[in-house]
Structures are given as C-alpha cells and as structure tokens.
Amino acid sequence: MTYNLIRYGVKDASIAENRALVAKVFEALDQTKPQSVRYLVLELEDGEFVHLVGYDKDSSALTGLEAFKAFGADHAERRSTPLVRSSARIIGNYHMLANADEAVPA
C-alpha cells in the first residue's frame, strides 16, 4: 500500500466549508466502501488540515468520487498555505488505522 501525507492551511472563512466537503468525502467512502483505500483527515488548532491517504495500485477509488472532485474543485481558493505532499511509510500503528500494513523496521 502506498501512503501520502498531505498538509495545508485553510483560510479562517473557509474552515467550515473545508470540513463539510471532507465530511462528504467520508460519506461517499462509507457508501462505496472501497477496500483499496485508507483515509484519515485531521484538523489542527491553527486551521491546518492533515490528510493521510493510503491506496493499492492507484488512488482512483478515492479521487474518482464525485465528493472528492467537489472537495478539490476550489481547493486552492480555500487554502491559506501551499499544499505539501510527502510520501509516508507506517512505522507503527496502534488502533489508529484499521488493517494498516505491518510496521516496517527502520
């Protein structure tokens, strides 16, 4: 499974909208139940959002969702900071990510 960590700040006036759009993505995931996707979104106190995305082969089971397309449609206008994407590897997982890959020794 490939993992990416994505971070970005959101303008104060757009935080509620960003939250609502993220919630719709989770609703769509709950409806479609793709087995090839792992997805976690955190909102930090300072208005920064952190997404941890895991997928097998390709991310289209997530990015192809209409709700995800709506989330991304005006994303640049909602952001207060640039989007930063980093590849990630799970080193440990204790009851946070269901069915995550086994930890890989450093």
Side-chain angles (χ1 to χ4, degrees):
M1 184 159 280
T2 300
Y3 290 96
N4 287 294
L5 184 78
I6 302 153
R7 300 174 65 123
Y8 56 91
V10 173
K11 298 172 186 171
D12 288 344
S14 298
I15 288 175
E17 177 186 9
N18 203 69
R19 263 189 225 129
L21 289 165
V22 167
K24 288 183 182 197
V25 172
F26 280 99
E27 289 172 12
L29 287 169
D30 284 340
Q31 290 173 358
T32 59
K33 300 184 184 332
Q35 295 301 304
S36 62
V37 173
R38 305 285 180 266
Y39 193 43
L40 170 74
V41 178
L42 304 170
E43 179 184 349
L44 307 183
E45 287 181 343
D46 63 358
E48 186 172 52
F49 283 73
V50 179
H51 299 236
L52 179 59
V53 183
Y55 54 88
D56 288 326
K57 297 180 185 168
D58 69 65
S59 61
S60 63
L62 172 64
T63 59
L65 295 171
E66 289 303 316
F68 191 87
K69 291 175 185 177
F71 166 76
D74 63 346
H75 195 257
E77 288 79 37
R78 291 193 309 275
R79 290 196 315 258
S80 62
T81 64
L83 186 141
V84 178
R85 179 186 312 262
S86 303
S87 292
R89 180 170 57 158
I90 294 176
I91 302 301
N93 170 43
Y94 183 77
H95 293 290
M96 183 60 71
L97 303 171
N99 302 318
D101 294 337
E102 292 290 321
V104 178

